[in-house]
């Protein structure tokens, strides 16, 4: 998705009637070439999955959306073709071979799939940290500049990403975080392992206008060298936060980090959505999660809260779903 958006933004630039905008991008001749390239990337990923002996034509990560016609193409008010309206099922398009087209090669910059797999494995030989950003629509196309703050407040560039949108887009928000690698920026900022990380996001519309938009940047994902699981780091502050949800894959560990000594602990897990809404605290120290400890979570829903009912009622809580992929 993010590679897809980047080409739209970089080719379209600041022009309204081109690749940068959701309403007009399909009229640009490069649109079909670009989307054919995205299909090719999908085929490369499938080939990588085969090398890894993992599923390549099946997924359970999107739940019921895989077996339902894709919106808004399923709306009879927008799509007058009953064939495509009822058959636009994501689950039916995993296998490109069914559409009877093939690629002469799947090389990327001269590297075949086996070499790509080796390069990816080499990347896993060092510790990495990612900003876990929850994306949402901003009703236009925009560039998001992510920066790491040093102790003195200096901004260190961490990366860009692009959001493709428009005034008529369907409202959307992702609960699975987008992972932006900020490893180099964190090191350049002099932030030690286990220390608090502060990020800023500057959002600029495709036409160059600065936007009063923001993205959640208080959640991080660590991937330690040669490990086969992520660590979701929830960074908790003393200021009130919006109640939100994060979805992660099976096997993910979780760690709570307090930004300062004013954050009370331990974190409590309330057991159900109803308990979370009513801020019903477990007795004693049941379902307690200490700061700076990695915990393994089984698939399911977890409703975390500040340790007291008052702060819970003020919104100091978060829902984490571990999907059973």
């Amino acid at each position: 998705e993010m590679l897809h958006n980047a080409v739209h933004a970089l080719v379209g630039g600041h022009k309204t009637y081109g690749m940068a905008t959701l309403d007009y991008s399909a009229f640009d001749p490069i649109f079909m070439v670009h989307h054919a390239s995205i299909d090719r990337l999908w085929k490369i990923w499938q080939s990588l999955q085969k090398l890894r002996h993992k599923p390549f034509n099946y997924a359970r990560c999107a739940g019921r959306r895989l077996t339902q016609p894709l919106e808004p193409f399923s709306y009879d008010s927008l799509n007058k073709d009953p064939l495509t309206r009822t058959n636009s099922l994501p689950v039916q398009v995993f296998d490109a071979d069914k559409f009877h087209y093939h690629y002469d090669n799947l090389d990327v910059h001269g590297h075949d799939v086996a070499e790509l797999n080796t390069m990816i494995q080499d990347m896993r030989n060092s510790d990495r940290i990612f900003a876990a950003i929850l994306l949402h629509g901003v009703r236009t196309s925009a560039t998001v500049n992510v920066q790491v703050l040093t102790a003195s407040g200096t901004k260190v560039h961490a990366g860009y990403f692009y959001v493709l949108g428009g005034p008529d887009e369907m409202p959307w928000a992702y609960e699975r975080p987008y992972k932006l690698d900020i490893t180099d920026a964190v090191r350049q900022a002099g932030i030690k392992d286990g220390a608090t990380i502060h990020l800023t996001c500057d959002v600029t519309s495709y036409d160059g206008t600065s936007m009063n938009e923001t993205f959640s940047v208080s959640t991080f994902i660590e991937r330690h060298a040669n490990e086969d699981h992520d660590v979701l780091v929830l960074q908790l502050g003393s200021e009130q936060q919006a109640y939100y949800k994060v979805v992660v894959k099976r096997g993910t560990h979780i760690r709570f980090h307090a930004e300062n000594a004013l954050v009370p602990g331990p974190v409590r897990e309330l057991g159900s959505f109803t308990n979370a809404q009513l801020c019903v605290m477990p007795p004693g120290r049941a379902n307690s999660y200490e700061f700076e400890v990695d915990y393994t979570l089984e698939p399911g829903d977890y409703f975390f809260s500040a340790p007291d009912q008052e702060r819970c009622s003020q919104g100091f809580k978060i829902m984490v779903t571990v999907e059973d992929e």
Side-chain angles (χ1 to χ4, degrees):
E1 179 73 17
M2 305 315 290
L3 288 172
H4 162 265
N5 292 353
V7 173
H8 273 274
L10 294 172
V11 173
H14 299 307
K15 303 299 183 181
T16 299
Y17 302 104
M19 284 286 285
T21 61
L22 188 63
D23 290 338
Y24 297 101
S25 61
F27 296 99
D28 192 311
I30 203 173
F31 179 89
M32 295 306 297
V33 178
H34 171 41
H35 279 255
S37 178
I38 295 298
D39 286 347
R40 183 174 179 273
L41 287 175
W42 169 254
K43 189 66 175 181
I44 291 171
W45 177 82
Q46 289 181 308
S47 299
L48 286 167
Q49 287 292 89
K50 292 178 182 179
L51 283 179
R52 300 162 181 159
H53 303 289
K54 292 184 177 182
F56 58 92
N57 266 340
Y58 180 71
R60 293 170 58 188
C61 59
R64 66 182 185 277
R65 293 178 181 84
L66 288 176
T67 56
Q68 294 180 345
L70 189 65
E71 299 180 277
F73 306 104
S74 59
Y75 298 168
D76 55 11
S77 59
L78 297 176
N79 184 0
K80 303 303 181 182
D81 184 344
L83 180 64
T84 59
R85 191 169 61 240
T86 57
N87 287 280
S88 55
L89 306 179
V91 73
Q92 293 180 340
V93 297
F94 284 155
D95 186 2
D97 292 338
K98 293 197 307 184
F99 299 97
H100 306 292
Y101 64 84
H102 306 277
Y103 298 99
D104 55 351
N105 70 74
L106 298 175
D107 294 354
V108 177
H109 294 300
H111 299 286
D112 62 24
V113 171
E115 291 172 330
L116 290 174
N117 191 53
T118 300
M119 294 166 67
I120 293 171
Q121 294 301 324
D122 289 343
M123 292 173 63
R124 295 176 175 170
N125 292 334
S126 58
D127 293 343
R128 290 175 293 162
I129 184 165
F130 303 86
I133 302 173
L134 299 177
L135 303 176
H136 59 84
V138 296
R139 306 197 71 79
T140 189
S141 295
T143 301
V144 184
N145 179 19
V146 182
Q147 299 164 315
V148 178
L149 296 180
T150 66
S152 63
T154 302
K155 294 181 178 180
V156 178
H157 176 67
Y160 290 101
F161 64 88
Y162 303 94
V163 178
L164 183 66
D168 297 324
E169 70 178 306
M170 296 183 63
W172 62 273
Y174 292 160
E175 294 172 335
R176 271 182 171 265
Y178 164 55
K179 294 166 63 175
L180 178 68
D181 194 331
I182 59 171
T183 307
D184 292 341
V186 168
R187 291 171 180 166
Q188 186 178 342
I191 299 173
K192 305 298 183 183
D193 291 346
T196 298
I197 300 173
H198 292 292
L199 297 182
T200 64
C201 284
D202 296 327
V203 185
T204 306
S205 173
Y206 76 95
D207 62 6
T209 305
S210 180
M211 299 182 63
N212 186 27
E213 291 283 348
T214 188
F215 291 86
S216 174
V217 288
S218 60
T219 306
F220 302 90
I221 290 177
E222 294 180 0
R223 187 63 175 253
H224 298 295
N226 303 313
E227 294 286 355
D228 60 357
H229 65 269
D230 291 338
V231 180
L232 177 68
V233 182
L234 298 176
Q235 192 166 272
L236 308 180
S238 53
E239 300 296 325
Q240 183 174 346
Q241 305 178 66
Y243 183 31
Y244 63 97
K245 175 183 176 181
V246 179
V247 178
V248 295
K249 61 185 178 181
R250 182 174 186 168
T252 299
H253 295 196
I254 191 169
R255 181 194 317 140
F256 294 96
H257 170 76
E259 290 186 1
N260 54 59
L262 298 178
V263 181
V267 175
R268 308 299 297 276
E269 202 284 303
L270 304 187
S272 72
F273 175 80
T274 302
N275 284 347
Q277 288 295 98
L278 300 176
C279 292
V280 179
M281 293 290 142
R285 292 183 63 84
N287 300 347
S288 294
Y289 290 73
E290 303 292 343
F291 294 136
E292 309 306 335
V293 177
D294 288 6
Y295 294 93
T296 302
L297 299 181
E298 294 298 318
D301 296 327
Y302 296 82
F303 303 89
F304 296 108
S305 165
D308 58 272
Q309 193 172 44
E310 179 180 359
R311 290 175 64 85
C312 174
S313 300
Q314 293 173 352
F316 289 87
K317 47 191 174 182
I318 180 175
M319 177 180 176
V320 174
T321 294
V322 181
E323 289 201 331
D324 188 10
E325 296 177 324

